[in-house]
Amino acid sequence: MSLYYVQKLLYQLNRDPHVRKRYDSELDELLTEYDLTAEEIQAIKALDLGLLYVIGVNGQILMHFSALHGIAWPDYIEALRQGLKKYGPVREGVYAETGYQGIAAHDEALRARRAATSQGKT
Amino acid sequence: MALVFAGLCGHGPGFTGRAELADPEPRDALYAGFERLRLALEDAKPDALVVVAAEHFANFFMDNMPAFAIGMADSYEGPIEDPDWLKIEPTSVPGNKDLSRRIVSAVMQDVDVAYAEEWKFDHGIAVPLHFLTPRYDLPVVPANINCQGPPLPPLHRCWAFGEALRRVIDAVPERIALLGTGGISHWPATPDSGKINEAWDREFLERVLNHRRDELLAYTDEDVYRDAGQGGFEMRTYVAVAGATQGAEGELWFYEPIPVFAVGATIAAMNLG
Ligand SMILES: [Fe+2]
């Protein structure tokens, strides 16, 4: 387990154009500079956001990493869901699954409440 | 000279980046709230804006994580996020190194604050500036509270940080505006993104806007994590602003859960009289 170094690499990648250049042109060499397991290297190289999430990468780091690759928001969230399904619960870090109805159902409930409130006013 | 403005707002990257996915009614109401806050800020004619933020690993990491940090440069770059994703173009924002230095030196009398002569903004500051200083013509002094990588500074220290900021703001000759920015309850960047604990948010905002110090400092990280998610740790920025504005009357201008923005979007201001 070397979550710290996975996060360190992604943190530097997200903020530093120089690291970004090396990520594009000499990824293998870049990866040797961090203390990573084979699974972590695999997750980074395959852009497996679900596995990175399960390994415990902070979502704020992972979200920026995902944005760097032009991945749309709903696809990013779906990749994390698939990761949990495939690899099991988050192993380390700050995340627990808490259960959520999802944005569509939530939006619907809020719209219904707004409609009820405005009806009450008239 | 004085504190001439104090506001609170969220900074969700979705506010700009995912605008088209949001329910238009609450989204446009949020934008109107930001516009009102922008006009209030301009009316106050500030010389500089101190932003108490909760950055997300754009500058500070677990190799050397400051509990509190203040930027000390004449300009700042950002945002670091992909412009197609955040829909904010990277730019240079003016700072005021001399003012920063005076603020840092004074705050250090009470709180051991780190300073940074280099600082890249992320959405945590870039999104509020996009709405509030869209021409990037007001010098910014960024201040950060570690809200992301535990162990986090305890709330009583965040309150003390706010008090220390206020003391120096009152002492410098410039007219200073203060902005606290954080999500309240939220589970950002996770599969539970969109979940919002509205009751918790409203109770917390009551305590902030009425400066109910003891009730604010009574929250534990365990409570916050359970009820408001890991994103709720950003409450620290609001606690600092409450500490800086004691005696002022707070007013909630806008609060509405907007799930695709991952937060109960919040706009509030302190009436400084
Ligand atoms: Fe945030």
Side-chain angles (χ1 to χ4, degrees):
Chain A
M1 286 296 204
S2 43
L3 173 61
Y4 171 79
Y5 286 103
V6 181
Q7 298 198 101
K8 187 174 180 184
L9 168 62
L10 301 186
Y11 154 71
Q12 293 181 330
L13 191 61
N14 288 340
R15 73 185 301 276
D16 187 343
H18 178 68
V19 179
R20 220 127 72 193
K21 208 176 275 174
R22 296 190 58 210
Y23 174 81
D24 290 335
S25 64
E26 45 177 44
L27 179 58
D28 285 322
E29 198 187 312
L30 179 67
L31 292 176
T32 61
E33 292 164 24
Y34 300 80
D35 186 1
L36 303 169
T37 65
E39 186 191 42
E40 289 159 353
I41 290 173
Q42 160 65 19
I44 292 163
K45 284 183 132 177
L47 193 56
D48 190 338
L49 299 175
L51 180 52
L52 290 167
Y53 183 68
V54 167
I55 285 170
V57 175
N58 188 293
Q60 298 291 346
I61 293 174
L62 198 55
M63 173 177 85
H64 289 172
F65 177 62
S66 167
L68 194 66
H69 291 86
I71 295 167
W73 180 252
D75 298 336
Y76 163 77
I77 295 292
E78 185 54 29
L80 305 194
R81 284 214 181 94
Q82 292 305 321
L84 290 170
K85 244 185 232 168
K86 189 164 167 193
Y87 304 109
V90 174
R91 298 171 196 163
E92 201 184 336
V94 292
Y95 296 121
E97 240 185 308
T98 58
Y100 176 50
Q101 60 192 319
I103 285 171
H106 193 176
D107 264 337
E108 199 48 56
L110 289 168
R111 264 195 296 273
R113 189 181 71 177
R114 272 201 303 277
T117 316
S118 65
Q119 230 167 35
K121 273 183 200 151
T122 51
Chain B
M1 195 207 99
L3 181 66
V4 296
F5 169 94
L8 296 165
C9 69
H11 60 230
F15 291 1
T16 52
R18 302 193 287 279
E20 79 289 352
L21 299 179
D23 192 330
E25 194 184 324
R27 177 198 66 197
D28 293 345
L30 167 66
Y31 293 168
F34 266 120
E35 184 60 10
R36 184 179 168 198
L37 200 63
R38 181 181 74 79
L39 293 171
L41 175 63
E42 280 182 10
D43 276 355
K45 300 192 171 44
D47 298 313
L49 173 66
V50 175
V51 183
V52 179
E55 75 131 35
H56 319 78
F57 306 108
N59 302 276
F60 308 119
F61 185 67
M62 281 71 82
D63 58 344
N64 192 1
M65 180 64 85
F68 302 98
I70 292 178
M72 204 165 76
D74 278 326
S75 72
Y76 303 96
E77 305 299 313
I80 64 162
E81 287 93 339
D82 183 87
D84 292 332
W85 182 82
L86 188 60
K87 306 212 167 69
I88 298 177
E89 282 304 315
T91 187
S92 176
V93 177
N96 181 335
K97 186 170 180 172
D98 171 66
L99 173 64
S100 281
R101 193 184 182 93
R102 285 178 278 133
I103 292 177
V104 168
S105 305
V107 168
M108 272 181 179
Q109 295 293 333
D110 302 297
V111 176
D112 300 323
V113 64
Y115 63 83
E117 295 198 24
E118 238 187 287
W119 189 308
K120 295 185 183 193
F121 291 170
D122 69 11
H123 65 269
I125 289 182
V127 168
L129 294 187
H130 168 85
F131 290 106
L132 300 178
T133 62
R135 294 180 303 277
Y136 303 113
D137 50 1
L138 180 62
V140 169
V141 175
N144 195 70
I145 303 177
N146 172 23
C147 299
Q148 308 295 345
L152 308 173
L155 296 180
H156 68 92
R157 296 302 290 158
C158 300
W159 181 275
F161 183 59
E163 288 184 320
L165 278 174
R166 179 59 184 271
R167 267 191 286 277
V168 62
I169 287 170
D170 285 343
V172 297
E174 288 90 346
R175 299 170 62 86
I176 304 291
L178 178 67
L179 180 73
T181 173
I184 324 179
S185 72
H186 65 313
W187 286 255
T190 77
D192 295 334
S193 176
K195 181 171 167 167
I196 293 150
N197 186 343
E198 180 174 348
W200 192 92
D201 285 354
R202 288 188 183 278
E203 170 60 30
F204 172 71
L205 288 168
E206 274 293 309
R207 296 183 194 188
V208 167
L209 296 172
N210 294 293
H211 303 87
R212 301 211 302 252
R213 177 183 178 278
D214 293 348
E215 288 179 34
L216 277 174
L217 304 194
Y219 288 107
T220 67
D221 280 353
E222 291 72 25
D223 295 338
V224 173
Y225 185 79
R226 182 192 61 234
D227 299 328
Q230 86 286 343
F233 292 147
E234 294 183 349
M235 70 187 293
R236 282 170 170 71
T237 60
Y238 289 52
V239 170
V241 169
T245 55
Q246 293 167 61
E249 214 175 297
E251 194 186 345
L252 184 61
W253 287 3
F254 180 80
Y255 176 90
E256 192 66 41
I258 306 181
V260 80
F261 291 168
V263 288
T266 305
I267 308 264
M270 298 291 184
N271 184 354
L272 300 168

